[in-house]
Amino acid sequence: RDPGAAPRTPACIVCPKKSSPPLSQRAFVGDDEKTLDDAMDTCAKTWVSDTTKGCHVDADRRKITLSRIFLWFEDDFEFEGGPLHFCGRWRDDLPATQEGGWAIRYFDYDWSLNAAAASSVTQPE
């Protein structure tokens, strides 16, 4: 498998649970590598930008809360330098966290079904 794609995979195809990344409303098609790459980036950005289940930074308390998926699949994110570096690709508020002294916590995981919502990720054409 492509180690560069592995960290984005959980953001794209997980499960229909409330704490999972948003469900995509479109199928992933690999007509060309750039289209698939863009779609995976969109999913990853949407997921880590969601402060309720992706990544939340509390600068005042120096605390970062991540999805439990980052804990469960931590090895998959090592290609990116770990979960924080992975999130930092799409979050402007994370580079300062690399200085240390930040507490890392994980969101509780809600296993109830994720409703199909208008806020689900829409893939680029």
Side-chain angles (χ1 to χ4, degrees):
R1 81 180 171 180
D2 174 7
R8 296 176 298 170
T9 302
C12 302
I13 46 175
V14 184
C15 62
K17 304 301 180 189
K18 284 188 178 178
S19 288
S20 292
L23 296 171
S24 177
Q25 294 184 3
R26 299 179 66 176
F28 288 93
V29 243
D31 293 341
D32 64 70
E33 190 173 322
K34 178 165 178 21
T35 302
L36 183 58
D37 206 43
D38 288 347
M40 291 181 80
D41 279 348
T42 298
C43 288
K45 180 179 182 176
T46 301
W47 177 39
V48 300
S49 297
D50 186 331
T51 60
T52 65
K53 64 181 179 178
C55 176
H56 179 263
V57 177
D58 183 340
D60 293 336
R61 294 186 176 139
R62 296 182 64 83
K63 180 174 87 169
I64 301 168
T65 308
L66 298 172
S67 167
R68 285 201 178 269
I69 292 168
F70 289 111
L71 177 64
W72 297 332
F73 298 98
E74 188 172 6
D75 290 346
D76 288 346
F77 295 97
E78 286 308 311
F79 179 81
E80 293 276 344
L84 291 180
H85 286 276
F86 174 80
C87 292
R89 286 179 60 185
W90 295 283
R91 297 284 301 263
D92 293 336
D93 55 350
L94 277 174
T97 65
Q98 305 308 317
E99 65 197 43
W102 288 75
I104 306 297
R105 302 286 182 261
Y106 296 93
F107 291 111
D108 290 334
Y109 204 83
D110 184 347
W111 291 95
S112 59
L113 286 179
N114 193 357
S119 64
S120 292
V121 177
T122 302
Q123 298 299 325
E125 295 289 331

